[in-house]
């Protein structure tokens, strides 16, 4: 269901309105309904009534309309019965107020009248033409388009064609042959979404020749006067016929240029002003121009605005016989007029009631003047309401809300003020008594017109009971209080100005002497702000006597401290300045004034000295190659506190540096300054040679040279590379090679004439675009040697277990080549070399164990000697088969008994399957409760040791030539004195003390 909602906010006791907009609804279905909401606040809760077109709606006899709260709900909307102006009245016992008026309308769009085809429009080529739309009866905003010949071909607007959204007509400035055809006007209602089409209008070219050129003729133009609402969007249309096609331009006759919010659309045929304001009002001119002439139209846009409150009245309570003056002010264009209502009825000036524009005055109020009042501001563009309640009061005096304090304390010599403020309408007349005597004015006692009693320079004789008596025509009331005079409070111990170092603690004293009758409280303020001892408990603590303790003082604790003593009768304070000394604050604006390849001239500005003069500065630097900030050397070596410049020395060339400065004083080092801008030192010839020059190895006829690369930090410039020089030992001439890649650390020289394993002198230097740097010290490097030429003999292998094979061979005799060790290769399938595994052993060893193998598998093995050139020839291949795997089952049904120191164990045997190794014995092993290690090594140790231990775990495993089987569940044994392991093939084990 469609719902239309007004929101009208009415406050009976404190008035306000939220203005609803007028509403126009589509008529879509019989069950369509609208809700007009009216809400008001009041005590008691308000009731409501509604009127339509000024007539009260009788909801009791209207089945389509009913109220929910203050909202009016209308079902089965009917255009004839429900169209009109609605207004809500909210009322309670205090009075009534009206809402603003709001209209309810219904949008519709009739069809075009049934008619024959529209008459053809005959024009000559080059002539302008207007095709009329003539929209049918409607309500609600319309938009227009035109179909050319057939859907979906729509007329496209350009500088030659224009569709007015005001009239719906189609304008063609200059007809061309391509324009010939049928034109259909499409009218769309933007609210109902309905769309209707006119009959086609044929456009036909006449055959009596082409139209000649003529000056522009403006066919579409805006009115002479255009009213525009504040903040609205204003659109002006202007289009002209002509040959050639005219150009459209706009201007303000005042000469003021258009602001950016003014937009030209549809080839300047539409001028649009968004968010219209007072300054946009004025005369606008549209100019149509071609080479035959020009034409212009003008119109004035006038600014208007509905009323807007500038000042309203508020709820007011006045005593009987007082005078009321209320004034409300509103802005608007044109200037709004004002009227006044009381309980929804218009007020007219008469007798005590006077109305002048927005001001209402009522003289000598009586009880009948109470009620709800509304000020109404209105112009032709809108109406607004402002509401307020007037309460006229008539009552005897009462001190229920403002009695005298039962006990009032005052310091001797001070001034005492006793206020007499009864509630009374009209205001009461007051007099004062001390005890039973009426007080009279004298040099110390003043009786003010508002009923206040003032006594200056009080003494103990002024102590006593005081009574205020208030009276008006409706009755009398009294209030009494006692005045107590106390001795002055004195500060006996004050804080003094002090200097203190950051991190220390201090107590600021604040002690007083006071009259026992006074209550006292202490508070401390720091730099004008009260100290919150709960929030700042890390640093501040106040004693019961009033002293302030400051712990772990920081720099921001320096300043003025004020001790405030508040008593019943006075407030005292005492203060001290605390100067906190700390390390200096960070320097600022660190700037690199000048830089070379190894130095940088720096300047900076000093930071705060934090109470202690700056004694010196430390310069720090950071590069992409350092870890954090590091101190650097300077000239002068020591930078004292009066200096704000220094030269950093010992920098690396062609490195990007950042600098910062740290100040120090007698307290310590301060925070560092912000970093300077990154600055690169100038480039220079390398001054660092590569290190760790060595090499060797490689393949036949190679000399392999290696070195530690020079770090980027020490390369000193672009174009960095290495120069490698080498010569056979004993010769004079160096061979040189150049490598231009800074990160390379290896060079290989190949030459068939290089003898195997012959010594060379080698050195490596560095260079960059600036030149060559130093060479490293000379190192001795051997050329590549030849692989061993002989294969090992007498190679044998035996299977040790299901996963291990032992290989032995005979060491090679002396041969020309070096032997650094032996390499054993093994594989499972002699036809698949990709299954090869490899084990190397350095030195003159002739035995190796290969582990991690598969059980019950044939392995082929071969042995070769190796050196730095690689492995030599392999021995003839041999093969062997690994053992079958041990049983994968643990002993079961384990039973044990413990008699004295004798432990007896029984279990069921483990029987090997055909694919498993035969059981050869059992391994019984202990493990302390805190250990999970049941290894063979631990078992072997326990076989040869005596123990006197409690809490052991015993685990049983089957043993076979394939290895250990699966262990049983651990058995928890207590008080085991000694442990012995036996390996018979029986299943009965006896543990006895030896």
């Amino acid at each position: 269901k469609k719902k239309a909602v007004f929101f009208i906010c009415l406050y009976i006791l404190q008035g306000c309105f939220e203005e609803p907009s007028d509403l126009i609804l589509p008529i879509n279905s019989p069950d369509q309904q609208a809700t007009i909401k009216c809400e008001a606040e009041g005590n008691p809760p308000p009731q409501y009534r509604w009127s339509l077109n000024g007539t009260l709606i009788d909801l009791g006899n209207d089945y389509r309309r009913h109220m929910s709260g203050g909202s009016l709900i209308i079902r089965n909307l009917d255009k004839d019965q429900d169209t009109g102006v609605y207004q809500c009245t909210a009322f309670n016992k205090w009075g009534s107020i009206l809402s603003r008026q709001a209209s309810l309308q219904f949008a519709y769009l009739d069809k075009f009248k049934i008619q024959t085809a529209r008459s053809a429009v005959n024009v000559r080529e080059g002539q302008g033409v207007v095709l009329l739309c003539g929209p049918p009866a409607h309500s609600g905003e319309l938009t227009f388009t035109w179909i050319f010949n057939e859907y979906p071909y729509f007329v496209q607007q350009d500088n030659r064609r224009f569709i007015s959204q005001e009239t719906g007509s189609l304008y063609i400035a200059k007809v061309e042959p391509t324009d010939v055809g049928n034109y259909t006007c499409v009218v769309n209602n933007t609210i109902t979404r309905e769309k209707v089409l006119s009959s086609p209008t044929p456009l036909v070219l006449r055959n009596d020749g082409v139209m000649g050129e003529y000056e522009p003729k403006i066919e579409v133009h805006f009115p002479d006067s255009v009213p525009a609402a504040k903040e609205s969007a204003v659109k002006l249309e202007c289009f002209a016929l002509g040959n050639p096609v005219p150009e459209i331009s706009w201007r303000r006759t005042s000469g003021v240029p258009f602001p950016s919010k003014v937009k030209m659309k549809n080839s300047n045929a539409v001028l649009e002003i968004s968010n219209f304001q007072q300054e946009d009002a004025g005369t606008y001119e549209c100019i149509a121009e071609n080479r035959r002439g020009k034409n212009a139209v003008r119109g004035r846009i006038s600014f208007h605005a509905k009323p807007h409150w500038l000042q309203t009245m508020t709820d007011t309570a006045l005593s009987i016989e007082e005078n009321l003056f209320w004034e409300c002010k509103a802005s608007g264009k044109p200037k709004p007029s004002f009227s006044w209502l009381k309980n929804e009825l218009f007020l007219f000036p008469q007798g005590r009631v006077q109305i002048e524009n927005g001001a209402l005055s009522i003289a000598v109020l009586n009880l009948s003047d109470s009620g709800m009042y509304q000020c109404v501001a209105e112009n032709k563009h809108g109406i607004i309401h402002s509401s307020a309640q007037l309460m006229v009061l008539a009552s005897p005096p009462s001190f229920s809300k403002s009695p005298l304090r039962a006990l009032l304390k005052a310091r001797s010599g001070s001034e005492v003020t006793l206020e007499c403020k009864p509630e009374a309408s009209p205001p009461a007349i007051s007099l004062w008594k001390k005890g039973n005597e009426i007080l009279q004015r004298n040099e110390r006692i003043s009786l003010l017109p508002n009923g206040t009693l003032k006594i200056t320079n009080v003494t103990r004789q002024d102590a006593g009971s005081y009574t205020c008596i208030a009276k008006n025509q409706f009755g009398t009331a009294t209030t009494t209080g006692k005045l107590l005079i106390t001795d002055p409070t004195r500060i006996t111990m004050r804080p003094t100005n002090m200097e203190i170092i950051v991190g220390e603690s201090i107590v600021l004293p604040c002690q007083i002497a006071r009259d026992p009758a006074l209550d006292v409280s202490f508070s401390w303020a720091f730099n004008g702000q009260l100290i919150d001892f709960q929030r700042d408990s890390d640093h501040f603590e106040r004693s019961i006597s009033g002293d302030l303790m400051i712990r772990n003082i920081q720099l921001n604790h320096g300043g003025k401290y004020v001790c405030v003593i508040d008593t019943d009768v006075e407030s005292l304070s005492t203060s001290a300045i605390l100067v906190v000394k700390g390390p200096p604050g960070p320097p600022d604006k660190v700037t690199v004034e000048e830089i070379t390849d190894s130095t940088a001239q720096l300047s900076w500005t000093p930071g705060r000295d934090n109470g202690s003069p700056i004694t010196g500065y430390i310069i720090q630097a950071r590069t992409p190659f350092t870890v954090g900030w590091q101190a650097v050397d300077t000239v002068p070596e020591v930078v004292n506190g009066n200096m704000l410049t220094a030269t950093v020395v010992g920098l690396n060339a062609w490195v990007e540096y950042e600098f910062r400065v740290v100040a120090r004083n007698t307290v310590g080092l301060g925070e560092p300054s912000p970093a300077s801008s990154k600055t690169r030192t100038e480039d220079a010839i390398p001054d660092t040679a590569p290190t760790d020059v060595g090499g060797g190895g490689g393949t036949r006829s190679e000399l392999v040279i290696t070195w530690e690369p020079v770090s980027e930090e020490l390369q000193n410039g672009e174009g960095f590379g290495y120069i490698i020089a080498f010569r056979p030992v004993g010769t004079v001439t160096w061979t040189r090679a150049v490598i231009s890649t800074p990160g390379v650390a290896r060079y290989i020289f190949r030459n068939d004439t290089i003898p195997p394993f012959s010594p060379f002198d080698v050195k490596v230097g560095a260079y960059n675009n600036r030149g060559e740097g130093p060479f490293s010290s000379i190192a001795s490097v051997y050329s590549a040697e030849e692989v061993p030429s002989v294969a090992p003999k007498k190679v044998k292998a035996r299977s040790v277990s299901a996963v291990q094979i032992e290989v032995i061979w005979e060491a090679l005799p002396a041969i020309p080549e070096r032997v650094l060790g032996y390499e054993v290769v093994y594989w499972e399938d002699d036809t698949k070399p990709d299954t090869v595994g490899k084990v190397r052993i350095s030195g003159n060893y002739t035995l190796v164990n290969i582990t991690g193998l598969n059980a019950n598998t044939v392995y082929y093995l071969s042995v070769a000697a190796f050196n730095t050139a690689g492995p030599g020839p392999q021995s003839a291949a041999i093969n062997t088969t690994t053992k079958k795997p041990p049983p994968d089952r643990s002993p079961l049904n384990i039973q044990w008994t413990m008699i004295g120191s004798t432990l007896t164990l029984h279990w069921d045997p483990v029987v090997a399957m055909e694919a498993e190794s035969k059981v050869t014995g059992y391994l019984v092993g202990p493990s302390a409760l805190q250990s999970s290690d049941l290894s063979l090594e631990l078992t072997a140790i326990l076989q040869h040791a005596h123990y006197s231990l409690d809490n052991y775990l015993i685990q049983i495993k089957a043993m076979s030539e394939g290895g250990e089987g699966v262990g049983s569940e651990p058995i928890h044994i207590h008080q085991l004195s000694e442990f012995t392991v036996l390996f018979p093939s029986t299943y009965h084990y006896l543990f006895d003390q030896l």
Side-chain angles (χ1 to χ4, degrees):
K1 294 181 180 180
K2 300 283 185 177
K3 289 189 177 181
V5 178
F6 295 131
F7 184 83
I8 305 176
C9 170
L10 308 173
Y11 294 91
I12 298 299
L13 298 181
Q14 181 176 354
C16 86
F17 291 95
E18 182 174 328
E19 300 291 350
S21 300
D22 292 338
L23 190 64
I24 182 166
L25 296 177
I27 303 178
N28 293 331
S29 60
D31 61 349
Q32 187 179 21
Q33 79 173 35
T35 299
I36 311 176
K37 194 170 184 180
C38 178
E39 292 184 357
E41 289 184 355
N43 187 17
Q47 296 177 286
Y48 304 89
R49 55 178 174 262
W50 285 86
S51 65
L52 171 59
N53 297 327
T55 302
L56 184 67
I57 299 174
D58 184 1
L59 297 177
N61 297 317
D62 193 332
Y63 75 95
R64 292 189 308 108
R65 300 186 180 105
H66 71 278
M67 277 200 303
S68 175
S71 299
L72 176 65
I73 300 173
I74 309 172
R75 296 176 300 186
N76 302 327
L77 286 168
D78 183 273
K79 183 175 77 168
D80 296 328
Q81 297 184 56
D82 298 323
T83 300
V85 176
Y86 288 81
Q87 192 166 30
C88 169
T89 301
F91 60 94
N92 65 8
K93 70 176 185 178
W94 300 108
S96 58
I97 55 175
L98 288 174
S99 74
R100 60 146 284 170
Q101 295 178 339
S103 66
L104 175 62
Q105 301 178 36
F106 295 85
Y108 66 93
L109 176 62
D110 287 348
K111 296 186 179 299
F112 281 92
K113 293 181 180 180
I114 298 175
Q115 60 184 18
T116 58
R118 295 189 177 188
S119 301
V121 177
N122 296 279
V123 294
R124 295 164 63 187
E125 181 181 347
Q127 184 180 355
V129 69
V130 180
L131 302 182
L132 302 179
C133 179
H138 64 276
S139 175
E141 183 181 2
L142 301 181
T143 59
F144 302 91
T145 54
W146 284 77
I147 297 174
F148 180 51
N149 287 332
E150 61 181 11
Y151 180 84
Y153 299 103
F154 287 91
V155 174
Q156 301 300 315
Q157 298 186 73
D158 51 25
N159 66 332
R160 195 171 61 84
R161 289 169 293 190
F162 176 68
I163 300 172
S164 171
Q165 296 304 311
E166 296 290 338
T167 65
S169 299
L170 169 63
Y171 299 82
I172 304 177
K174 171 189 171 186
V175 174
E176 297 178 354
T178 56
D179 296 325
V180 172
N182 291 319
Y183 290 83
T184 302
C185 179
V186 182
V187 184
N188 179 66
N189 190 308
T190 60
I191 297 176
T192 66
R193 306 290 184 181
E194 292 176 298
K195 181 183 295 184
V196 295
L197 280 69
S198 71
S199 299
T201 300
L203 180 64
V204 180
L205 278 184
R206 292 164 52 180
N207 55 9
D208 56 351
V210 177
M211 182 77 172
E213 294 184 353
Y214 62 94
E215 67 180 11
K217 179 183 179 183
I218 295 179
E219 289 289 342
V220 180
H221 59 81
F222 49 98
D224 294 338
S225 178
V226 179
K230 181 181 180 182
E231 299 178 352
S232 65
V234 179
K235 292 184 180 179
L236 304 180
E237 292 184 343
C238 182
F239 191 77
L241 310 182
N243 186 4
V245 175
E247 292 184 359
I248 306 295
S249 61
W250 297 81
R251 74 181 191 93
R252 295 184 67 169
T253 57
S254 64
V256 176
F258 291 135
S260 59
K261 69 177 181 179
V262 176
K263 306 296 181 185
M264 310 292 181
K265 297 183 178 180
N266 294 3
S267 302
N268 290 357
V270 178
L271 174 75
E272 183 174 306
I273 308 172
S274 60
N275 189 25
F276 191 85
Q277 299 295 327
Q278 177 77 55
E279 60 269 19
D280 298 320
T283 301
Y284 288 73
E285 183 178 56
C286 168
I287 303 167
E289 186 174 8
N290 64 12
R291 63 172 170 257
R292 285 293 179 178
K294 67 178 179 179
N295 205 345
V297 293
R298 290 182 178 182
R300 179 171 182 80
I301 305 179
S302 59
F303 175 82
H304 70 78
K306 64 182 181 180
H308 173 75
W309 289 121
L310 301 175
Q311 175 183 321
T312 59
M313 67 280 197
T314 59
D315 292 340
T316 301
L318 294 174
S319 295
I320 191 170
E321 298 180 358
E322 286 190 299
N323 298 325
L324 169 71
F325 179 79
W326 266 335
E327 185 176 21
C328 55
K329 298 178 180 179
S331 64
K333 186 74 174 183
K335 185 177 179 180
S337 61
F338 298 90
S339 58
W340 287 83
L341 294 87
K342 176 190 176 186
N343 294 333
E344 71 183 294
L345 298 178
F346 280 97
L347 282 175
F348 298 98
Q350 181 179 2
R352 296 181 302 111
V353 179
Q354 294 299 317
I355 298 174
E356 185 176 352
N357 292 327
L360 168 68
S361 60
I362 304 177
V364 191
L365 291 170
N366 58 49
L367 294 177
S368 65
D369 294 321
S370 295
M372 294 301 304
Y373 289 78
Q374 287 182 281
C375 178
V376 183
E378 180 178 9
N379 65 14
K380 63 181 180 180
H381 303 296
I383 180 171
I384 55 176
H385 298 71
S386 175
S387 305
Q389 180 185 11
L390 172 63
M391 296 183 68
V392 179
L393 307 175
S395 62
S398 171
F399 287 102
S400 60
K401 294 184 179 179
S402 57
L404 282 176
R405 287 170 55 183
L407 177 62
L408 178 64
K409 300 175 185 178
R411 176 178 55 84
S412 176
S414 64
E415 180 178 273
V416 174
T417 299
L418 301 177
E419 292 184 338
C420 183
K421 291 185 175 180
E423 288 187 339
S425 296
I429 299 172
S430 302
L431 61 87
W432 284 88
K433 285 185 177 182
K434 179 184 179 186
N436 294 321
E437 295 182 3
I438 297 177
L439 283 177
Q440 301 296 331
R441 293 182 177 86
N442 59 35
E443 67 275 3
R444 291 193 309 113
I445 298 177
S446 301
L447 298 174
L448 304 183
N450 62 2
T452 298
L453 169 63
K454 184 178 294 184
I455 308 173
T456 60
N457 193 21
V458 295
T459 66
R460 289 191 178 273
Q461 284 71 31
D462 293 315
S465 177
Y466 288 81
T467 301
C468 177
I469 304 170
K471 183 177 181 180
N472 70 5
Q473 68 218 57
F474 298 107
T476 303
T478 63
T479 180
T480 301
K482 184 178 180 181
L483 177 62
L484 176 65
I485 307 301
T486 62
D487 292 331
T489 303
R490 294 181 297 105
I491 299 176
T492 58
M493 187 176 295
R494 301 174 181 270
T496 58
N497 297 341
M498 299 186 68
E499 292 184 354
I500 192 168
I501 302 298
V502 165
E504 295 181 353
S505 299
I506 193 174
V507 174
L508 298 179
C510 186
Q511 305 288 327
I512 63 169
R514 63 182 175 89
D515 190 303
L518 293 176
D519 293 327
V520 65
S521 65
F522 293 88
S523 58
W524 282 85
F526 169 51
N527 288 340
Q529 296 292 325
L530 280 177
I531 297 174
D532 186 331
F533 289 95
Q534 288 187 340
R535 186 187 63 194
D536 298 327
S537 59
D538 290 345
H539 296 285
F540 296 106
E541 181 181 344
R542 184 187 58 209
S543 69
I544 297 177
S545 62
D547 296 342
L548 174 66
M549 173 177 281
I550 312 176
R551 294 186 298 270
N552 187 22
I553 285 180
Q554 302 300 304
L555 285 172
N556 60 355
H557 293 149
K560 183 178 182 179
Y561 288 81
V562 179
C563 176
V564 180
I565 305 103
D566 288 305
T567 71
D568 304 87
V569 299
E570 61 185 325
S571 181
L572 298 86
S573 65
T574 180
S575 64
I577 302 296
L578 185 61
V579 176
V580 181
K581 294 184 175 182
D588 197 12
K589 297 180 182 177
V590 179
T591 305
V592 180
E593 304 287 353
E594 184 178 346
I595 194 162
T596 68
D597 60 347
S598 61
T599 66
Q601 177 74 35
L602 301 183
S603 66
W604 59 90
T605 58
R608 297 174 57 185
D609 63 10
N610 291 330
S612 179
I614 297 172
T615 58
Y617 293 97
I618 297 172
I619 314 298
Q620 297 176 338
R622 178 174 66 182
T623 74
F625 313 104
T626 60
V627 179
W629 292 89
Q630 298 178 355
V632 292
D633 295 331
T634 60
V635 174
E637 184 176 351
V638 177
V639 182
N640 64 47
N642 297 321
M643 298 178 62
L644 297 176
T645 61
T647 300
V648 180
V649 297
L651 303 179
N652 292 323
W654 200 244
V655 172
E656 194 171 62
Y657 280 89
E658 293 176 277
F659 299 96
R660 71 181 187 183
V661 181
V662 182
R664 64 172 172 236
N665 59 16
T666 56
V667 180
L669 285 177
E671 292 292 319
S673 69
S676 68
S677 300
K678 294 181 180 180
T679 309
R680 185 182 292 276
T681 51
E682 296 178 349
D683 58 352
I685 295 172
D687 54 11
T688 302
T691 58
D692 294 337
V693 176
T699 58
R700 181 181 176 83
S701 301
E702 287 184 349
L703 174 64
V704 178
I705 302 170
T706 61
W707 61 91
E708 179 69 26
V710 176
S711 67
E712 185 180 351
E713 183 180 10
L714 302 176
Q715 291 174 7
N716 287 8
E718 294 182 314
F720 183 84
Y722 300 101
I723 302 170
I724 298 93
F726 54 90
R727 66 187 179 189
V729 172
T731 63
V732 176
T733 304
W734 293 90
T735 300
R736 289 164 58 104
V738 175
I739 293 179
S740 60
T741 306
V744 170
R746 179 183 179 92
Y747 171 73
I748 301 176
F749 175 69
R750 295 182 178 88
N751 194 309
D752 292 340
T753 63
I754 298 177
F757 205 63
S758 58
F760 281 79
D761 292 331
V762 174
K763 61 181 180 179
V764 181
Y767 74 93
N768 61 19
N769 290 346
R770 293 293 298 270
E772 293 186 9
F775 276 90
S776 67
S777 57
I778 296 174
S780 181
V781 178
Y782 283 81
S783 62
E785 56 187 333
E786 293 185 335
V787 299
S789 58
V790 179
K793 298 178 180 180
K794 296 182 180 182
V795 178
K796 297 178 181 180
R798 72 179 183 90
S799 176
V800 177
S801 70
V803 296
Q804 183 174 340
I805 293 176
E806 180 184 79
V807 185
I808 60 174
W809 60 89
E810 188 179 79
L812 287 178
I815 59 176
E817 299 82 26
R818 283 197 309 168
V819 175
L820 297 181
Y822 296 91
E823 177 180 274
V824 180
V825 294
Y826 57 94
W827 62 98
E828 293 183 22
D829 189 337
D830 207 22
T831 66
K832 295 182 179 178
D834 58 344
T835 64
V836 170
K838 183 187 298 183
V839 176
R840 272 194 173 189
I841 184 170
S842 299
N844 201 27
Y845 296 97
T846 58
L847 179 147
V848 71
N849 282 302
I850 305 174
T851 60
L853 305 177
N854 296 323
N856 198 24
T857 302
V858 177
Y859 282 93
Y860 297 86
L861 306 104
S862 182
V863 184
F866 73 85
N867 58 22
T868 59
Q874 294 182 342
S875 67
I878 61 171
N879 66 73
T880 187
T881 303
T882 52
K883 305 290 186 183
K884 293 181 180 179
D888 64 354
R889 296 165 303 288
S890 62
L892 300 175
N893 297 326
I894 300 172
Q895 301 178 9
W896 63 277
T897 59
M898 185 79 176
I899 302 174
S901 61
T902 301
L903 172 67
T904 305
L905 288 164
H906 297 273
W907 62 86
D908 290 345
V910 177
V911 179
M913 307 296 287
E914 182 179 353
E916 297 174 339
S917 297
K918 181 180 178 181
V919 176
T920 59
Y922 292 87
L923 175 65
V924 181
S927 173
L929 282 174
Q930 68 271 21
S931 172
S932 61
D933 184 5
L934 296 174
S935 64
L936 285 172
E937 292 75 5
L938 176 58
T939 302
I941 294 170
L942 293 173
Q943 290 175 21
H944 299 89
H946 294 273
Y947 294 91
S948 179
L949 299 172
D950 290 342
N951 298 334
Y952 252 83
L953 292 180
I954 301 262
Q955 189 178 47
I956 305 172
K957 297 180 181 179
M959 298 293 297
S960 72
E961 62 180 10
E964 297 180 14
V966 178
S968 67
E969 289 292 328
I971 306 165
H972 193 177
I973 306 296
H974 295 278
Q975 296 181 349
L976 182 60
S977 300
E978 182 187 344
F979 180 59
T980 306
V981 180
L982 306 175
F983 291 91
S985 58
T986 63
Y987 318 117
H988 171 210
Y989 282 73
L990 178 64
F991 297 84
D992 200 359
Q993 184 172 358
L994 298 179

